[in-house]
């Protein structure tokens, strides 16, 4: 099973600042890496897939990069609605597809 | 707009079986474009993929649960279901049903249900 490790566990950022989240895979997952956002009290939603492609309707301030085992999600200028928990997920190796433990982005 | 809604008991006794259903509204479950799956999140732990089903009834399961988990689909009722046998406290979690598949990648969750908390306790 591919283990996904996210860092940091919590990231405190001021509105308007940049946030950089990391995700590492225990073995190569090529570019089969997705990011999801979960706001408080809501279901997760797909943000990024293919390591860098934005899902439909996702603002351009969200960007993803990386391949192999190291990935990054960057939020260029944090808006109030971006304070949430972010999960990475690999869908390269089945079974099973696996998630990271999440990074919480909160207000500094 | 497609929506998913989980239903089932919020409390299950240890050694009993857990059964949840996911009702799909706003679209048909009988599509070749998507799979339908279950994902759970125990308190304080990461999301865990349980398994998924195609409209034909073909299934795939997480090997860590394979002997206890079963997912079925009822196209006439536009819903799919999860069964987990012989539950323990470790099965306490928020259970999400999900639509799988985005841009031809089955492993992507394109839509999530709101989730339902199931506690295993006597």
């Amino acid at each position: 099973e591919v283990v996904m490790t996210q860092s940091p566990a919590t990231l405190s950022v001021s509105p308007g600042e940049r946030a950089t989240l990391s995700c590492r895979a225990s073995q190569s997952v090529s570019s089969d890496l997705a990011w999801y956002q979960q706001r408080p009290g809501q279901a997760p939603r797909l943000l990024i897939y293919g390591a860098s492609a934005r899902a439909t309707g996702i603002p351009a301030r969200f960007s993803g990069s990386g391949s192999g085992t190291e990935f990054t999600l960057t939020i260029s200028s944090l808006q109030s609605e971006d304070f949430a928990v972010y999960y990475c997920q690999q869908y390269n190796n089945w079974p099973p597809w696996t998630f990271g433990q999440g990074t919480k982005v909160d207000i500094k | 707009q497609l929506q998913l809604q989980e239903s089932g008991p919020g409390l299950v006794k240890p050694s009993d079986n857990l059964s949840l259903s996911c009702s799909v509204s706003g679209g048909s479950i009988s599509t070749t474009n998507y799979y339908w799956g279950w994902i759970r999140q125990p308190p304080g732990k990461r999301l865990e993929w349980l398994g998924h089903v195609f409209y034909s009834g073909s299934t795939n399961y997480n090997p860590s649960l394979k002997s206890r988990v079963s997912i079925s689909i009822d196209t006439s009722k536009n819903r799919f279901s999860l069964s987990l046998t012989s539950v323990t406290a470790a099965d306490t979690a928020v259970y999400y049903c999900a639509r799988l598949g985005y841009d031809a990648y089955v492993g992507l969750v394109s839509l999530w249900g709101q989730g339902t908390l199931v506690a295993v306790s006597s």
Side-chain angles (χ1 to χ4, degrees), chain B:
Chain B
Q1 179 177 345
L2 197 83
Q3 291 186 315
L4 309 175
Q5 181 64 58
E6 304 91 349
S7 61
L11 180 64
V12 180
K13 289 183 168 51
S15 79
D16 282 356
N17 297 337
L18 180 161
S19 293
L20 296 174
S21 288
C22 182
S23 296
V24 179
S25 59
S28 175
I29 202 171
S30 300
T31 174
T32 59
N33 294 328
Y34 300 107
Y35 284 69
W36 308 92
W38 290 93
I39 296 163
R40 71 179 181 180
Q41 186 170 33
K45 295 189 177 182
R46 67 185 63 210
L47 293 156
E48 180 182 27
W49 200 288
L50 303 183
H52 50 276
V53 62
F54 198 46
Y55 82 99
S56 62
S58 171
T59 54
N60 287 278
Y61 299 123
N62 186 330
S64 70
L65 292 158
K66 190 171 185 178
S67 61
R68 297 198 297 130
V69 67
S70 176
I71 298 174
S72 59
I73 192 165
D74 187 336
T75 55
S76 67
K77 296 182 178 179
N78 223 40
R79 71 183 186 196
F80 59 104
S81 301
L82 170 72
S83 175
L84 189 63
T85 61
S86 305
V87 298
T88 69
D91 295 310
T92 293
V94 175
Y95 286 77
Y96 295 97
C97 63
R99 185 186 69 182
L100 312 177
Y102 189 90
D103 200 23
Y105 292 101
V106 175
L108 291 171
V109 183
S110 49
L111 186 66
W112 300 69
Q114 280 299 313
T116 186
L117 175 62
V118 179
V120 178
S121 175
S122 55

Side-chain angles (χ1 to χ4, degrees), chain A residues 5-88:
Chain A
T5 303
Q6 292 184 241
S7 61
T10 303
L11 186 61
S12 296
V13 185
S14 299
E17 288 189 342
R18 174 187 296 257
T20 303
L21 290 66
S22 295
C23 176
R24 174 178 292 177
S26 60
Q27 65 189 72
S28 177
V29 297
S30 187
S31 294
D32 297 331
L33 190 284
W35 291 93
Y36 299 86
Q37 176 195 64
Q38 186 173 30
R39 293 171 176 153
Q42 296 187 16
R45 67 165 177 163
L46 179 65
L47 294 179
I48 299 286
Y49 67 100
S52 60
R54 280 188 302 276
T56 301
I58 301 304
R61 64 180 181 273
F62 291 92
S63 63
S65 63
S67 66
T69 62
E70 300 283 343
F71 301 90
T72 300
L73 173 69
T74 301
I75 312 171
S76 60
S77 176
L78 272 157
Q79 307 298 303
S80 58
E81 62 268 28
D82 300 336
F83 293 97
V85 179
Y86 293 83
Y87 297 98
C88 64

